[in-house]
Amino acid sequence: NGLYKEQITSIGCLLSLMIEESNQQYNGGYVLSLPDYYRLHLLGDPEMPAWSAVPQKLEVNVTPTQIEAGTNTITVQITNLPAGEEATVCLMKDAEAYTVVTINDTKPHSFTFSPKTSGEMKVTVTARNFIPFEKSIPVSRPKLFGHFKGWGNGESGYLPEE
């Protein structure tokens, strides 16, 4: 009843409702025993959502496909998010850069993301009754330039640093 009729999609809330309803089914105020509670104990995240329909695949476009350390603009677009639904977009690189935003449309959304080092950033998109979308984007070192002076002819300029 809770999942389909009342649209309760949090596992923790569903478990609590199940325990409450099972206590009400017994006459004489029967309360579940401690072993019963242990047996019904939820292992994991009580805020974990439960699918209330067959999960679909999220169609997500993420650009660019690679970035450099420093300030970047990442664009995320969910092309098949139903009207009225929300999706959570998370951009993360280790413990140095993290952004979470909730969106509710199919328009492109741009995020400023500033990793400090090279490596790999992760993009995760979740929505109710959709399989989570995950993508890794390589983060390279920024192209640095070094200053040089000419060989006595007065020329100077910048060269890529090796």
Side-chain angles (χ1 to χ4, degrees), residues 24-101:
Q24 290 175 1
Q25 287 178 357
Y26 296 98
N27 291 330
Y30 174 80
V31 176
L32 289 176
S33 68
L34 193 54
D36 288 337
Y37 277 112
Y38 286 152
R39 186 171 42 93
L40 295 174
H41 180 70
L42 179 67
L43 299 176
D45 182 2
E47 286 300 313
M48 182 181 79
W51 286 328
S52 57
V54 175
Q56 300 174 38
K57 181 181 176 185
L58 277 169
E59 301 294 333
V60 181
N61 298 322
V62 179
T63 56
T65 56
Q66 66 181 56
I67 61 173
E68 292 182 352
T71 302
N72 296 272
T73 299
I74 309 293
T75 302
V76 177
Q77 179 179 19
I78 307 168
T79 59
N80 65 335
L81 186 66
E85 291 292 328
E86 291 184 338
T88 302
V89 177
C90 175
L91 309 176
M92 183 179 92
K93 181 173 179 309
D94 302 325
E96 63 189 63
Y98 184 79
T99 301
V100 175
V101 177

Side-chain angles (χ1 to χ4, degrees), residues 67-74 93 96-97 112-118 121 139-142:
I67 61 173
E68 292 182 352
T71 302
N72 296 272
T73 299
I74 309 293
K93 181 173 179 309
E96 63 189 63
T112 300
F113 193 72
S114 302
K116 296 174 178 62
T117 62
S118 61
M121 73 167 280
V139 179
S140 61
R141 285 188 343 200

